[in-house]
Amino acid sequence: MKFGNVDFDTYFKNYPDANGFFGKYGGSYIPPELQRAMAEINTAYQTICKSRRFISELRRIRKEFQGRPTPISYLERLSGKLGNVQLYVKREDLNHTGAHKLNHCMGEVLLAKYMGKRKVIAETGAGQHGVALATAAAYFGLECDIYMGAVDIRKQAPNVARMEILGANVIEVTEGLQTLKEAVDAAFAAYCREYKDAIYCIGSVVGPHPFPMMVRDFQSVVGIEAREQFLEMTGELPDAIVACVGGGSNAMGLFSGFLNDPVDIYGVEPLGRGTALGDHAASLTYGEEGIMHGFNSIMLKDENGEPAPVYSVASGLDYPSSGPEHAFLHDLGRVKYDVVTDDETIDAFFELSRMEGIIPAIESSHAVAYAMKLARKMDKGSILINLSGRGDKDMDYIIEKYGVRKG
Ligand SMILES: *Cc1c(COP(=O)(O)O)cnc(C)c1O
């Protein structure tokens, strides 16, 4: 299928190109000493990812440890309430550790093992990436250093405990505002010192080449499974697919399975409290081209051209940019990016819980909220939503802020 000047029959061969570009987006804008380390990861990945041993080991792990394939569930009651459109969810909430992040963490740490590394390094904000990576490191018996801002350590005590129980070293970062940005800098600095023994494991389809490609490839299991399962369940493809977009890994995982199909694709960004800069994290919708964290994409900038402050009710979505492949698909028009507010998201959180017995992560509730709006507008057809994670991690916040909304 052709779309604009892009032929999706051969898309994965051509995108990204050898230098990690999706059109003008992507690439690798990092200091020379890191460039060398990235080149080493890239070369290793290019050979290892094609080896039979690596592929069959990853396949076995997905089945025996992660619990894949995750099912697709039909949302019968919610669909009935909304009208004539049939809603389905891909259940990444049932993946081990309760979200899609383990899909790429298991791949990244398996790669580290094949490269002969003994340690993995990453930063974490709310702690979800840290917990997924600590899980993978424990499974493979590798050391795991997680850099985390001191403020986030205080706010996310249960995730800090999880990482430590799993055997990871949580390293407190006390520079600057003591949150995610400083943690990224500290993790990169550590990686520059330790790259002979360690690899850096990124948490989404962001960062310098080869990470956006690698993480997409590891997440593509979601789209491959979903396409097959949906065809088997219904005999057809869905009319539309929907996923939330922070950095964009769960979305790229699902989307990659359907890019070459006559399926409408929607990426949902967090509009938070509203359209003013600082009140949302809808980078593709309101941002402009720019370079941050080593890659060129579409980002939200402040008046000095620096990454703008962002906000979302979902801590996994408050990132001032998105992966370069999303920027590319955005400009091409293959994927439509749109927004939902915090309020619409929280309504969807309670609706899915009450109507279907599935408590979604607040991140995933963005996709549910958008699909519900879409379903009211369409008069027939089907929508497949990526339910990127479960809501257990959000319980304390929901109870404190919204109560249980009885009745
Ligand atoms: C981290 C997270 C996200 C956001 O990350 P993406 O890379 O945009 O997918 C979404 N949902 C859940 C449940 C998460 O934990």
Side-chain angles (χ1 to χ4, degrees):
M1 182 174 93
K2 276 198 100 164
F3 206 97
N5 58 356
V6 175
D7 187 350
F8 280 98
D9 289 337
T10 53
Y11 178 77
F12 293 104
K13 247 199 248 151
N14 299 324
Y15 295 91
D17 70 14
N19 296 314
F21 282 96
F22 302 87
K24 62 181 172 176
Y25 299 114
S28 183
Y29 300 85
I30 50 178
E33 62 269 27
L34 266 182
Q35 205 70 263
R36 232 172 306 134
M38 291 299 152
E40 188 203 355
I41 296 179
N42 189 35
T43 309
Y45 176 68
Q46 299 287 358
T47 38
I48 290 169
C49 78
K50 294 187 192 87
S51 87
R52 288 263 289 280
R53 251 181 75 217
F54 182 88
I55 293 168
S56 66
E57 188 170 1
L58 190 58
R59 216 173 259 163
R60 182 186 61 74
I61 289 164
R62 297 229 189 277
K63 180 166 172 229
E64 296 174 5
F65 180 67
Q66 288 185 235
R68 305 204 68 92
T70 58
I72 284 179
S73 303
Y74 170 47
L75 305 181
E76 184 169 355
R77 294 187 64 220
L78 188 58
S79 301
K81 184 172 171 184
L82 293 172
N84 296 320
V85 174
Q86 314 307 315
L87 295 174
Y88 297 81
V89 281
K90 174 65 171 164
R91 301 291 306 278
E92 290 307 294
D93 60 317
L94 296 178
N95 199 23
H96 178 44
T97 70
H100 72 287
K101 283 194 175 72
L102 202 63
N103 297 332
H104 60 255
C105 285
M106 293 307 284
E108 286 176 317
V109 183
L110 184 63
L111 179 68
K113 189 184 108 171
Y114 273 64
M115 289 173 72
K117 306 291 185 186
R118 58 172 182 81
K119 187 194 267 193
V120 292
I121 295 175
E123 76 288 331
T124 196
Q128 296 304 114
H129 175 51
V131 171
L133 191 64
T135 302
Y139 179 89
F140 291 108
L142 268 64
E143 273 182 62
C144 180
D145 285 356
I146 303 290
Y147 290 81
M148 193 168 183
V151 169
D152 288 334
I153 286 182
R154 279 198 298 278
K155 277 209 287 211
Q156 308 290 342
N159 275 343
V160 174
R162 281 185 193 104
M163 287 184 268
E164 289 179 336
I165 287 169
L166 290 160
N169 309 307
V170 179
I171 299 163
E172 184 176 36
V173 178
T174 53
E175 276 85 29
L177 294 174
Q178 312 184 346
T179 60
L180 181 61
K181 185 186 170 302
E182 292 78 21
V184 173
D185 294 341
F188 260 83
Y191 181 51
C192 282
R193 291 191 303 270
E194 302 182 59
Y195 74 89
K196 288 208 174 64
D197 291 329
I199 78 167
Y200 183 76
C201 292
I202 217 147
S204 188
V205 285
V206 297
H209 182 60
F211 284 114
M213 170 184 71
M214 258 170 52
V215 172
R216 173 196 71 190
D217 293 354
F218 289 140
Q219 285 294 344
S220 66
V221 66
V222 176
I224 292 168
E225 282 176 11
R227 191 177 186 282
E228 221 176 272
Q229 291 167 321
F230 199 92
L231 278 170
E232 194 184 301
M233 277 173 92
T234 70
E236 293 167 9
L237 289 169
D239 293 289
I241 61 174
V242 180
C244 66
V245 179
S249 64
N250 88 86
M252 269 327 302
L254 182 69
F255 297 174
S256 62
F258 296 88
L259 286 172
N260 198 28
D261 289 317
V263 170
D264 294 333
I265 305 181
Y266 297 91
V268 185
E269 298 197 292
L271 189 60
R273 295 180 289 244
T275 55
L277 194 65
D279 280 348
H280 64 83
S283 47
L284 293 159
T285 307
Y286 294 106
E288 51 188 312
E289 187 178 346
I291 295 171
M292 63 175 272
H293 296 159
F295 65 105
N296 187 40
S297 187
I298 297 176
M299 61 184 270
L300 293 166
K301 297 179 185 176
D302 67 12
E303 63 282 2
N304 303 317
E306 295 296 311
V310 286
Y311 160 81
S312 165
V313 65
S315 58
L317 300 182
D318 61 356
Y319 185 62
S321 183
S322 286
E325 192 165 10
H326 285 291
F328 176 70
L329 295 168
H330 169 272
D331 287 7
L332 185 66
R334 176 65 190 97
V335 177
K336 187 175 180 333
Y337 294 87
D338 207 343
V339 295
V340 295
T341 63
D342 280 3
D343 290 345
E344 291 169 321
T345 298
I346 296 302
D347 287 344
F349 169 91
F350 281 107
E351 197 71 359
L352 189 70
S353 301
R354 283 286 152 77
M355 298 294 293
E356 299 290 343
I358 301 170
I359 301 180
I362 303 181
E363 289 81 3
S364 324
S365 303
H366 283 74
V368 177
Y370 191 79
M372 285 167 59
K373 288 211 285 193
L374 197 61
R376 288 194 193 96
K377 275 189 265 174
M378 292 162 53
D379 51 45
K380 60 179 173 44
S382 60
I383 304 173
L384 174 62
I385 305 160
N386 201 16
L387 204 74
S388 54
R390 64 181 183 223
D392 303 45
K393 68 181 179 60
D394 299 315
M395 278 303 104
D396 289 349
Y397 178 82
I398 289 282
I399 290 164
E400 187 190 318
K401 193 97 192 284
Y402 304 96
V404 294
R405 284 203 186 168
K406 282 218 190 80

Tab-separated table of all heavy atoms in Angstrom, residues 1-8 10 14-15 23 328 332:
chain	number	residue	atom	x	y	z
A	1	MET	N	0.844	-1.201	0.000
A	1	MET	CA	0.000	0.000	0.000
A	1	MET	C	0.878	1.248	0.000
A	1	MET	O	1.806	1.359	0.788
A	1	MET	CB	-0.857	-0.016	1.277
A	1	MET	CG	-1.814	1.145	1.397
A	1	MET	SD	-2.900	0.965	2.848
A	1	MET	CE	-1.981	1.871	4.087
A	2	LYS	N	0.549	2.183	-0.922
A	2	LYS	CA	1.310	3.442	-0.957
A	2	LYS	C	0.557	4.532	-0.225
A	2	LYS	O	-0.669	4.606	-0.268
A	2	LYS	CB	1.580	3.864	-2.407
A	2	LYS	CG	2.806	3.189	-2.974
A	2	LYS	CD	3.336	3.906	-4.205
A	2	LYS	CE	4.510	4.789	-3.835
A	2	LYS	NZ	5.328	5.248	-4.957
A	3	PHE	N	1.302	5.362	0.457
A	3	PHE	CA	0.696	6.486	1.176
A	3	PHE	C	1.636	7.658	0.994
A	3	PHE	O	2.773	7.619	1.446
A	3	PHE	CB	0.556	6.142	2.654
A	3	PHE	CG	-0.543	6.897	3.340
A	3	PHE	CD1	-1.796	6.326	3.521
A	3	PHE	CD2	-0.330	8.199	3.785
A	3	PHE	CE1	-2.814	7.023	4.136
A	3	PHE	CE2	-1.343	8.901	4.409
A	3	PHE	CZ	-2.589	8.313	4.587
A	4	GLY	N	1.180	8.705	0.307
A	4	GLY	CA	2.109	9.781	-0.065
A	4	GLY	C	3.215	9.172	-0.904
A	4	GLY	O	2.951	8.386	-1.809
A	5	ASN	N	4.473	9.456	-0.575
A	5	ASN	CA	5.574	8.869	-1.342
A	5	ASN	C	6.186	7.653	-0.638
A	5	ASN	O	7.282	7.238	-0.952
A	5	ASN	CB	6.659	9.921	-1.618
A	5	ASN	CG	7.194	10.510	-0.319
A	5	ASN	OD1	6.705	10.175	0.763
A	5	ASN	ND2	8.188	11.361	-0.411
A	6	VAL	N	5.454	7.104	0.347
A	6	VAL	CA	5.990	5.962	1.093
A	6	VAL	C	5.262	4.680	0.709
A	6	VAL	O	4.033	4.630	0.730
A	6	VAL	CB	5.861	6.200	2.616
A	6	VAL	CG1	6.305	4.966	3.386
A	6	VAL	CG2	6.684	7.409	3.029
A	7	ASP	N	6.045	3.658	0.349
A	7	ASP	CA	5.473	2.364	0.004
A	7	ASP	C	5.520	1.459	1.234
A	7	ASP	O	6.591	1.059	1.669
A	7	ASP	CB	6.281	1.751	-1.156
A	7	ASP	CG	5.615	0.481	-1.668
A	7	ASP	OD1	4.667	-0.008	-1.001
A	7	ASP	OD2	6.049	-0.025	-2.716
A	8	PHE	N	4.363	1.157	1.795
A	8	PHE	CA	4.341	0.375	3.033
A	8	PHE	C	4.595	-1.120	2.812
A	8	PHE	O	4.806	-1.853	3.778
A	8	PHE	CB	3.049	0.636	3.816
A	8	PHE	CG	3.123	1.924	4.595
A	8	PHE	CD1	2.553	3.095	4.095
A	8	PHE	CD2	3.809	1.986	5.795
A	8	PHE	CE1	2.657	4.293	4.792
A	8	PHE	CE2	3.923	3.177	6.501
A	8	PHE	CZ	3.349	4.338	6.001
A	10	THR	N	7.282	-2.187	1.573
A	10	THR	CA	8.714	-2.343	1.867
A	10	THR	C	9.150	-1.424	3.007
A	10	THR	O	10.334	-1.147	3.191
A	10	THR	CB	9.555	-1.997	0.618
A	10	THR	OG1	9.153	-0.692	0.163
A	10	THR	CG2	9.352	-2.999	-0.486
A	14	ASN	N	13.101	0.006	4.662
A	14	ASN	CA	13.606	1.342	4.349
A	14	ASN	C	13.546	2.345	5.495
A	14	ASN	O	14.176	3.392	5.436
A	14	ASN	CB	12.829	1.920	3.153
A	14	ASN	CG	12.999	1.058	1.918
A	14	ASN	OD1	14.081	0.514	1.702
A	14	ASN	ND2	11.944	0.917	1.130
A	15	TYR	N	12.773	2.033	6.521
A	15	TYR	CA	12.617	2.984	7.629
A	15	TYR	C	12.895	2.322	8.963
A	15	TYR	O	12.218	1.363	9.293
A	15	TYR	CB	11.198	3.580	7.624
A	15	TYR	CG	10.930	4.403	6.397
A	15	TYR	CD1	10.372	3.832	5.260
A	15	TYR	CD2	11.283	5.750	6.363
A	15	TYR	CE1	10.165	4.579	4.115
A	15	TYR	CE2	11.061	6.505	5.217
A	15	TYR	CZ	10.504	5.913	4.094
A	15	TYR	OH	10.296	6.661	2.971
A	23	GLY	N	12.644	9.777	7.285
A	23	GLY	CA	12.601	11.097	6.655
A	23	GLY	C	13.625	11.982	7.342
A	23	GLY	O	14.779	11.598	7.518
A	328	PHE	N	7.367	11.292	11.859
A	328	PHE	CA	7.346	10.963	10.432
A	328	PHE	C	5.934	10.563	9.979
A	328	PHE	O	5.416	11.076	8.976
A	328	PHE	CB	8.348	9.822	10.187
A	328	PHE	CG	8.371	9.304	8.781
A	328	PHE	CD1	8.885	10.072	7.745
A	328	PHE	CD2	7.893	8.033	8.488
A	328	PHE	CE1	8.906	9.595	6.441
A	328	PHE	CE2	7.919	7.541	7.194
A	328	PHE	CZ	8.423	8.326	6.170
A	332	LEU	N	3.399	12.569	7.390
A	332	LEU	CA	2.925	11.811	6.231
A	332	LEU	C	1.396	11.722	6.224
A	332	LEU	O	0.778	11.574	5.174
A	332	LEU	CB	3.533	10.401	6.293
A	332	LEU	CG	3.289	9.458	5.127
A	332	LEU	CD1	3.968	9.989	3.859
A	332	LEU	CD2	3.820	8.057	5.453
